[in-house]
Structures are given as C-alpha cells and as structure tokens.
Amino acid sequence: MKRAGVAGLLVLLSCRAEDVELVPPNVDGGSPEIPGLLSLSIRPASVSLVESGQAAAPTQFTAFGAFDDGERELTDQVAWSLAPAELGTITAGRFERSGLGGRGTVTAAAGPVVAQADLEIRLQQLLEGPDLFPGDATLFPSDTSSDSVDQATLELLYPSHEVELPQNLGRLDVEWIASGGLDRFQVVIESPLARIRANLRGTSARLGGATWAQLAGSHLGETVELRVRGLRSNNPTTIYTSDPITITFSAAQIPGAFYYWSTTTRGIMRARIDAPLATLAVPTSGGECVGCHTLSRDGRSVAYTRDNKLRSNNLPDGALLFPSGGAAAQDSTAAAYSPDGARLLVADREHLELVDALTGALLSRVDLPEDRRVAQPDWSPDGRWVAIAYLNSRDEDLREHFTRTVFEGTSLAVLSVGEDGALSSPQVLVQSSGEDDTVFAPSFSPDSSAIAFVRARGRSKDNRRAELYLIRTDGSGGPVSLARLNRRGGGRQTITQVGNSLPVWAPSTRPGEAWLAFSSIRSVGSRSPEGYDQLWIAGIDLSRVVPGDDPSSAAFWLPFQSLTEANHRPLWTPNPNDTCVATVDLCGNGVDDDCSGQADDACCTPSPELCGDQTDNDCDRAVDEGCGCSLTESCANGVDDDCDGRTDRDDDDCED
C-alpha cells in the first residue's frame, strides 16, 4: 500500500488525451497453429493485483499445451493478448500494468486452440496531507463498520450525490461541514475495484493529480462511493462519517474549447473543461457591452450583439469581420449560425433575418404577424430545424415590454428549414400557459433529437424560479423535468430558486452520452456566489427523454471560475488551432465530426448485439461482444455457436 504526500491526489490533473476510445485488445503477435495440440491452459489461471501507485514488477503468465504424449510449455510459441488493452501490455506472457485498475482477460492462442486467465487489478492507496503531524495517519482504522453516521456532526456539502464527471475534468473540489470538535478527517473513495483514502486536516480538499487520473480511468462508465470520516484527535475513540454519495465517471470527455459571456469582465471569455484559468477572447471597448454571442461549429468566428447591432469577429485572432468600411450593422437581439457556418439567423423582435456570415449582408427576411415577437434562435446541428422563444400572445402589454433580453409569456416554437434554406412559419412546441409562464432559451442537443429550454414564472431575466426542461424535437411526450439537475444541491441536499437558466449543450466523445451546461446562482459547497451566475454542467442520457423519467445527473461546477464574477452561455467549439477535435459523428450533416476523414461514416442505429454476424449491432464499437463462441457448431439449437455467421445445418460443421 502506498503512503505518499497527498499531492498525489489533491493537485491538478495533468493533460490527458483529447479522446477516450475503446481500443483493440493488446496482441503480441499472430496465432500460429501447433501440430498435435489438443488444448491450452494458462498458469496462474487467475491473478489479483494491487495498484499502489509505486513501480511494480511484471507478472508472468505461462502457457501449457496438452498433446497425446503429455504436456509441454508453450509460452513463447502462442500469441498473447490482453483485454481491455488499457490495463497494460503483454508480451510472451509477461504482463506489465498501465497503472489503471480493472478486470480483464489474458488470452493465449494457437490457431483455433485458446485458453484464458482472469485478471483483476485493484487501486489501493493511502495518502497523507502536508499539514498532518506524526501519528495522525494511524488514527483512522481501515475498518469502517463501526463508524457513526451523523449528519448533524459531519455532512458533505460538495460535490452532489449522483453527479457524473467527464474523464477530462481534471480536478474536483470536496467540501464538508463538521461540528462537535472534529479536527482530523479522512476522505474515502471506494468501489469494488478501488479504495483510496486521504488523511488531512481542514474541511475541504481538491482532488486531482495522478491518483485522480488513475481513479477516473479505472472506472469508465462506472460508479464510486465518496464519504468523509472525522474524529477528535484528543478523543479518537468515536469515528463519525458522512452519508456517502455516488460519483459516476463517464467514459466520455468534453473536447474542444468554449466561449462564455462574463458580465464582470464585460467580454467573451475562452476556456477548456480542464483549464486552470479562462482568458479574454473578445474584449469590450469604450465601456460597451458585448453579449448574446454565438459561435460557428468550426470555431473560426463568433457573432455577438453590441449596442443592439450585430457584429462578428474572426477567431482566434479576434479580427473584425463585419461591419467594415463604415457599413451599417444589422439590428440584432441574438443570432445563430447555420451548421455549415455560412449564414447567421438573426432575431430582432418582430422578424427573423438570414445574413451572410462573412459579410453581414442581408440575404432574406422572415416576417412575423404584427402581434408576434421572437428571440433567442437556435439552429439544429442537422440543419433541419430552428427553435425560438416566441411571443404569440395578443397581450399588448407583453408586446410593448418585450426587449432584447427581458420578456414574459413566451412559448417554445420551431421552424422547419426547407431544402432551399427557406424557413417555415413557427409551430408552437411548448405553449405558455399565461403571461407569467415564460418559456425561453431553446438549445438543440448535439444529435438534434431534443431541445433543452428554460421555464419560469415571471420574466426571463434574473429569475430565481427558472428551471431547465427537455422536449423531443418532434414534440412527442411533452416536456421532461430534470429534477436532479435543477434541485440536487451539495451532498444529498435539495435546493430551489437558484435560477437555472441559459442551457447550452457541450460535445461528447461517445454516442449517447451528452452534457448540458447552464448558469445558476446556487452555492458551491459553503461558498455563495452572492447572486452571480456560475457555469455548471450535468450529464444527460438522451435515450431517457420521456415524461416520468429523469435523464439528468446532478451538476458539477467548473472549477476555474471566480465566485465574484457572473458567467453564462458557454458555447463549445473545436479549438481553432486544432486540425480536428473528434466528437461523435452526427448522422446526415455531411461533416466529419469524428475526424475519420469521411463524413457520417460512424453512423449507427443501436440494436441488440447479434452474435456471429461480425457486425457492431449495438453501436459500442465492439463486434460480437458478450458472445461466447464454441469451437464447433451444435446442429439443432438455433444458435450460431462458433460465431461464423452460419447456424445449425447451414454450418459446415453440421454437414451429413
């Protein structure tokens, strides 16, 4: 077991790869047939290892073959492979671990003859904080069965129960509150594959560093349990513990960079999910306000409103694209790029305008009925739909007080985009129930299947009662509430009236796993932003956007922020300096989203895995996984036993 400085866990995570992918098993060579070989076996047949964070000696597996005349060692003659490959490498039976925990399989093969051994690697580390005195580390016994659970004495404040984290978050703050004279603490993170303990003083810790990377990488799509233990150093006989919370490590990352509006700096800021700090991307000049920004999908340009006029800048150098040469700028309250970045859809209260994204020249206009108002357009990634906040009420007072950022009584409407690029008339998807029911800020999911939006009682701006919802783009099923995202506070607390607003989808490196960013004035542990909006992100399962279900996880705070600044609308885009940043391939948009060199090549409609057809039916990038293949076909059971694509009498093994 490792005993080292707590910096191994409580520091910033170093840079990780941009993508998390399933990789093929680690294979050390071919699979030659050995004449006369009847069967293979591996010794040891099962290995359990402990990963302490220190250098470890390789583990040797040995292959034996059975022949008519007895047994022979074949370690150097068989082909060795390891799955999953993330666990390490294997060559000639010599396994060297990567530092990750997990369960896997070691395989030895000689032609059709195969043997396997089970492999388990558990993370087990004890870390000590720099402020501990000699003897502190021995105060907490490893056995937690006698701990006393008492929320009045020890309670977790952050993170939240049932939070989901991307692989590249980099760091996570943990905070708790203690009473009753507790002055020594232990953070415990456990799963069937891990037991990480950190001893320290104080009531907060920042998790990061190499151990954090090991923990996240060892739990792709899996859950760990976090709790805090505490005691009195002058009377350590009773150990208290908080209620545990669960943390899920997604197998996905959130790639690229994002640009968000900061009302404190009065400019558009740029950061990455793992950034220690954000930088100013589009500054203000002369005290003017830059807001309502939108970005092209390729990250090469940003459009925004300044003094109610549309402007656009090149990225990342910030050079002004338009207006130029003294040309008049278009009136604008907000805008959205077409998926190809060629056009901008501009909302200006009474109408929608399509303008050239490079020059700002007006291309066409969609006039609305005189008593209608429009704001906050969003263009679906597949190019087929536009969503808007739509005032279709005949209430004259609502129309008169409809401004660039403040309005009431709006509904959610969509417009279809024709093959010629023309927009249809608005069709209401979520109707406002009255002047104090405001539906606004629509945002399409990356696969265009759903729309996130805000619903609030009262006006759209600075509304503490605002909450986020989802609805399928076709309107089926109606709005879906996001209880965990909206109301799960720190630990297991329930929160209300924290102004959840302005949702924006982040990209993901895995299909089916989505991320929704938003602004909120909720507290971060014991720290209150005092009314300042902060950026939060929650995981979303798009397969569960149905009424009565909650497809959201609890949200996490982006840790590069200062609590004395107000931030909102983080819009993601590939890094303009990157040739390509891989995300999930979006079917039908003609864009090479996954950087494979071919557009829409990775499109897949999930179905149950069909054994033996050599096809990835369930779209998890593995072929015929979970299929136990026999060496020969059973000829009357209706199953493709040997996974060659032929069943029963159609198989050569069953010829008469």
Side-chain angles (χ1 to χ4, degrees), residues 434-455:
E435 65 180 52
D436 65 341
D437 179 22
T438 306
V439 182
F440 61 102
S443 180
F444 282 97
S445 63
D447 65 356
S448 304
S449 69
I451 303 172
F453 63 93
V454 186
R455 195 163 203 165

Side-chain angles (χ1 to χ4, degrees), residues 61-80:
F61 291 90
T62 305
F64 291 89
F67 297 83
D68 286 336
D69 58 354
E71 185 178 72
R72 285 183 245 158
E73 183 186 337
L74 301 173
T75 303
D76 293 332
Q77 300 178 51
V78 298
W80 292 90

Side-chain angles (χ1 to χ4, degrees), residues 256-277:
F258 60 94
Y259 294 78
Y260 65 93
W261 165 242
S262 171
T263 57
T264 308
T265 61
R266 298 176 66 82
I268 298 173
M269 308 293 289
R270 180 185 184 277
R272 295 172 69 92
I273 189 74
D274 56 354
L277 294 171

Side-chain angles (χ1 to χ4, degrees), residues 9-211:
L9 178 65
L10 309 182
V11 297
L12 176 65
L13 175 63
S14 60
C15 294
R16 291 174 59 84
E18 191 69 35
D19 240 346
V20 171
E21 294 186 8
L22 292 176
V23 295
N26 188 302
V27 182
D28 72 349
S31 181
E33 294 193 25
I34 299 176
L37 179 63
L38 301 176
S39 64
L40 277 175
S41 62
I42 299 177
R43 300 175 196 164
S46 179
V47 171
S48 182
L49 303 174
V50 172
E51 177 57 56
S52 65
Q54 297 175 328
T59 301
Q60 183 65 50
F61 291 90
T62 305
F64 291 89
F67 297 83
D68 286 336
D69 58 354
E71 185 178 72
R72 285 183 245 158
E73 183 186 337
L74 301 173
T75 303
D76 293 332
Q77 300 178 51
V78 298
W80 292 90
S81 61
L82 172 69
E86 290 87 356
L87 293 180
T89 61
I90 189 163
T91 304
R94 179 186 172 95
F95 168 65
E96 298 199 45
R97 63 183 81 172
S98 65
L100 298 180
R103 294 188 178 93
T105 303
V106 173
T107 301
V113 185
V114 174
Q116 293 184 325
D118 295 326
L119 176 65
E120 180 183 78
I121 306 173
R122 299 187 71 252
L123 303 182
Q124 191 167 321
Q125 299 184 26
L126 175 61
L127 309 168
E128 298 175 9
D131 58 350
L132 293 182
F133 293 121
D136 281 359
T138 64
L139 292 176
F140 290 95
S142 59
D143 183 8
T144 62
S145 60
S146 299
D147 290 3
S148 175
V149 179
D150 185 353
Q151 275 194 297
T153 305
L154 189 60
E155 182 180 8
L156 271 168
L157 298 180
Y158 185 83
S160 301
H161 178 49
E162 298 180 317
V163 68
E164 183 177 17
L165 305 177
Q167 283 288 311
N168 60 328
L169 177 61
R171 66 186 196 247
L172 179 72
D173 291 340
V174 179
E175 187 179 359
W176 56 94
I177 186 171
S179 61
L182 302 187
D183 60 356
R184 301 291 188 274
F185 302 96
Q186 185 179 79
V187 176
V188 181
I189 303 174
E190 291 182 301
S191 76
L193 290 173
R195 189 162 197 251
I196 308 295
R197 293 174 291 157
N199 292 333
L200 65 161
R201 300 185 183 188
T203 55
S204 65
R206 173 161 287 181
L207 307 183
T211 303

